[in-house]
Amino acid sequence: PVVRLVKREGLRLRFGVPPADARALRPGQRVTAQLDTIPAPITATVEQVAPTIDAPSRLVFVDAVLDAADRALQPGLAAHVSVP
């Protein structure tokens, strides 16, 4: 899993990307999340890209707000994120 659903209010994703890929992500950019529990992909909008690399994982963490408010979404779900 590359993503974690952080909280139900305002439904947010937090995901890590390699530093080279993080350079291409900007606040306001759209990404697509595919969750195991929901058949259709869900879009999200990047809200913040961390300014530094997380030392233990060697990834840059990105926060995004999900556009859907589906009741099937629960904090802690795993997903895969792609940039359309």
Side-chain angles (χ1 to χ4, degrees):
V2 296
V3 175
R4 188 165 58 101
L5 186 58
V6 179
K7 62 181 180 177
R8 192 162 169 76
E9 291 178 7
L11 294 173
R12 297 177 183 276
L13 293 173
R14 176 169 291 153
F15 56 99
V17 296
D21 295 335
R23 292 184 199 121
L25 293 172
R26 300 280 180 261
Q29 185 172 359
R30 310 284 283 177
V31 295
T32 302
Q34 182 65 55
L35 286 79
D36 295 336
T37 58
I38 298 174
I42 297 171
T43 58
T45 303
V46 173
E47 186 173 70
Q48 176 181 332
V49 179
T52 60
I53 297 171
D54 177 67
S57 66
R58 303 182 84 180
L59 297 173
V60 174
F61 285 99
V62 178
D63 290 328
V65 178
L66 287 173
D67 298 333
D70 191 315
R71 291 192 180 271
L73 297 174
Q74 298 293 324
L77 291 176
H80 297 277
V81 173
S82 61
V83 178

